[in-house]
Amino acid sequence: MASDVRLEPVSERNLESLLSVAAAEADPTDVMPPVEAPAGWSHARREAFREFHRASFAGLPGPTRTRMYAVLAAGEVVGVIRMTRCDEPEVVETGLWLGRSARGRGIGSAALRELLNRAAAVGMRRVVAATTPDNRGALSVLTTCGARLRETDGQVHAELSLDATPPAR
């Protein structure tokens, strides 16, 4: 399954599929910023989800400095991975979410590897991420992809160098 993972920029073409996966298989707080709305996937929260993702359509040079990619496994949308320009030149921050049914199958690691290739292709030298110490899925994906991890103030900070020579096996 992980070998059949590809990334597709989030657009109007895949936004509704993405929202369907999010609503069926993820908690709103895991896939978008907090919204003043009734609990769960209310109409207001669904609209906010659409607007949040539409704001990134312009990509890294756009106002949000973010490129969002739908993660596809076997041709089906299963989640999102993003890269956002940091203030430091040649550095982007990443974040990933997958629907529950796509977790634990190597899809996250495959998506991050593809994102690293795309970041390098646009001239980035480092990719950083932050998560919590109890997010075992994220820690596994980051470690599998070679991230250096450090924990401070209840957060795990990850760094992936795009110009490092991979270790010999």
Side-chain angles (χ1 to χ4, degrees), residues 16-139:
E16 291 306 309
S17 295
L18 188 59
L19 176 55
S20 293
V21 170
E25 296 195 38
D27 186 276
T29 59
D30 293 339
V31 301
M32 60 185 280
V35 173
E36 281 294 321
W41 283 100
S42 63
H43 175 73
R45 189 160 279 114
R46 288 170 185 264
E47 284 302 311
F49 179 93
R50 289 181 183 102
E51 291 310 309
F52 172 68
H53 287 82
R54 284 179 178 132
S56 73
F57 284 3
L60 295 178
T64 65
R65 301 166 42 135
T66 300
R67 167 60 73 199
M68 301 247 192
Y69 295 97
V71 176
L72 284 79
E76 298 294 320
V77 174
V78 296
V80 163
I81 192 165
R82 68 170 171 77
M83 64 176 152
T84 301
R85 279 191 186 275
C86 295
D87 290 337
E88 187 178 342
E90 301 175 338
V91 178
V92 288
E93 190 255 345
T94 192
L96 165 72
W97 69 263
L98 296 174
R100 288 179 194 93
S101 66
R103 297 174 190 169
R105 297 171 33 204
I107 295 169
S109 297
L112 180 55
R113 281 191 289 275
E114 181 58 28
L115 183 98
L116 296 175
N117 290 335
R118 289 177 185 235
V122 296
M124 298 298 129
R125 303 208 45 192
R126 283 189 308 131
V127 176
V128 297
T131 190
T132 57
D134 63 338
N135 189 338
R136 288 183 304 223
L139 295 172

Side-chain angles (χ1 to χ4, degrees), residues 133-157:
D134 63 338
N135 189 338
R136 288 183 304 223
L139 295 172
S140 175
V141 166
L142 291 163
T143 302
T144 297
C145 291
R148 287 186 336 200
L149 305 178
R150 66 180 166 72
E151 187 173 339
T152 54
D153 300 324
Q155 285 280 306
V156 177
H157 301 275

